[in-house]
């Protein structure tokens, strides 16, 4: 971090399609061929590797590994969420969030590409063409589930999970029982990004360069601004009072909410 010099590098077995995470002296990275690597954070040496199979066809991308309670939680292209013990690399449990069904390989896509989230001993994960589920972090037991399809990161804010579905709906789900609190469907077909919380509003970008802002209480639109002529493909990021947006053309913008007028 001080001067940008290379500390170490490690060659994995295939493409790293999701952002690695670091904790407990380890860097956890998943490769697109189903391997999960734990690397020493100081040297890059491999501490353990957990192998799994991948289906013939899968979505491009992967969910980011999640570390908590001495375990690494990894979503797989098979639709299974696995918990790996960080010390040993052994699988503590695995649970099917999505079950492949249908005659074509496309119909059988059930990848967990949505980044899972956790709170209070419960982990929340979603798969493509399948469901959103709440699981016990200790055992992997499913506490509740709801049918939906997404490949985008989940947003956990308070007692609500916000989801951008594959149909470009935004949904608010009660994390205690899976009840849908509201559903905003007016952005269908606009290839929206994952939701984020900004200035007390739920925000998403779309393929026409717009940012849409919704009330977290009922999903009604409270604002909209076009920031680009190019699509916004990835969810904007928040730092302090600034919202950072990168469009498909590579332009980076920083936005600040204007003060309300009397």
């Amino acid at each position: 971090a001080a001067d940008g010099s290379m500390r170490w590098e490690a060659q994995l077995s295939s493409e790293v399609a999701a952002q690695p995470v670091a904790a407990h002296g380890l860097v956890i990275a998943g490769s697109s061929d189903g391997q999960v690597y734990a690397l020493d954070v100081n040297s890059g040496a491999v501490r353990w590797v957990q192998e799994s199979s991948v289906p013939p066809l899968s979505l491009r991308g992967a969910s980011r590994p999640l570390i908590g309670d001495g375990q690494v939680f990894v979503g797989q292209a098979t639709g299974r969420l696995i918990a790996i013990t960080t010390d040993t690399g052994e699988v503590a449990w695995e649970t099917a969030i999505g079950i492949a069904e249908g005659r074509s390989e496309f119909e059988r896509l059930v990848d967990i590409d949505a980044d899972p989230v956790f709170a209070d001993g419960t982990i929340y994960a979603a798969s493509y063409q399948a469901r959103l589920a709440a699981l016990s972090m200790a055992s992997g037991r499913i506490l509740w589930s709801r049918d939906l399809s997404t490949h985008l990161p989940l947003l956990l804010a308070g007692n609500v999970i916000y989801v951008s579905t594959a149909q470009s709906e935004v949904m608010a789900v009660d994390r205690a029982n899976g009840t849908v609190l509201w559903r905003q469907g007016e952005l269908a077909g606009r290839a929206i990004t994952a939701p984020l919380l900004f200035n007390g509003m739920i925000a998403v970008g779309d393929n026409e360069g717009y940012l849409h802002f919704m009330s977290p209480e009922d999903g009604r639109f409270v604002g909209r601004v076009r920031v680009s002529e190019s699509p916004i493909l990835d969810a904007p990021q928040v730092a302090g009072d600034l919202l950072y947006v990168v469009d498909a053309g590579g332009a980076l913008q920083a936005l600040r909410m204007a003060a309300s007028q009397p």
Side-chain angles (χ1 to χ4, degrees):
D3 58 13
S5 60
M6 180 72 72
R7 291 277 295 275
W8 56 261
E9 60 182 11
Q11 179 67 52
L12 306 191
S13 54
S14 65
E15 176 188 21
V16 180
Q19 181 180 346
V21 295
H24 309 300
L26 298 175
V27 176
I28 307 296
S31 57
S32 58
D33 59 358
Q35 315 258 46
V36 180
Y37 289 82
L39 310 174
D40 187 281
V41 73
N42 295 310
S43 66
V46 176
R47 299 269 284 272
W48 51 258
V49 181
Q50 180 57 238
E51 300 181 3
S52 63
S53 61
V54 295
L57 182 66
S58 64
L59 296 176
R60 173 154 176 79
S63 63
R64 183 182 182 187
L66 180 67
I67 298 179
D69 286 351
Q71 295 177 310
V72 182
F73 303 94
V74 181
Q76 300 182 307
T78 57
R80 303 185 76 81
L81 183 72
I82 63 173
I84 305 171
T85 304
T86 54
D87 291 339
T88 64
E90 297 178 352
V91 174
W93 54 259
E94 57 179 293
T95 300
I97 306 299
I99 298 174
E101 297 177 331
R103 287 184 285 184
S104 72
E105 292 297 339
F106 180 78
E107 291 174 323
R108 295 172 63 82
L109 288 172
V110 289
D111 301 52
I112 299 179
D113 282 2
D115 295 349
V117 293
F118 72 88
D120 302 325
T122 301
I123 186 167
Y124 305 90
S127 63
Y128 185 68
Q129 299 188 140
R131 57 181 174 166
L132 167 69
L135 302 88
S136 164
M137 292 179 68
S139 66
R141 180 174 63 90
I142 293 180
L143 307 176
W144 58 256
S145 67
R146 173 160 296 278
D147 291 345
L148 59 77
S149 175
T150 187
H151 63 281
L152 297 172
L154 307 176
L155 171 64
L156 176 61
N159 293 319
V160 181
I161 303 166
Y162 298 94
V163 185
S164 290
T165 72
Q167 294 75 36
S168 287
E169 292 181 313
V170 182
M171 294 175 59
V173 179
D174 189 317
R175 74 177 179 93
N177 53 29
T179 300
V180 175
L181 304 175
W182 54 258
R183 185 192 308 261
Q184 176 54 262
E186 293 186 22
L187 299 176
R190 299 181 76 133
I192 61 174
T193 67
L196 75 152
L197 191 63
F198 178 62
N199 258 35
M201 299 174 291
I202 302 300
V204 297
D206 72 11
N207 61 1
E208 297 183 15
Y210 284 93
L211 289 174
H212 305 270
F213 300 90
M214 288 156 277
S215 163
E217 282 77 31
D218 56 16
R220 62 185 170 83
F221 290 111
V222 294
R224 179 181 291 113
V225 59
R226 192 170 198 178
V227 297
S228 175
E229 298 291 327
S230 298
I232 301 170
L233 302 179
D234 295 313
Q237 299 295 314
V238 177
D241 64 344
L242 291 178
L243 182 68
Y244 295 93
V245 183
V246 179
D247 65 24
L252 171 65
Q253 297 185 57
L255 296 89
R256 179 179 284 116
M257 187 65 63
S260 58
Q261 298 297 318

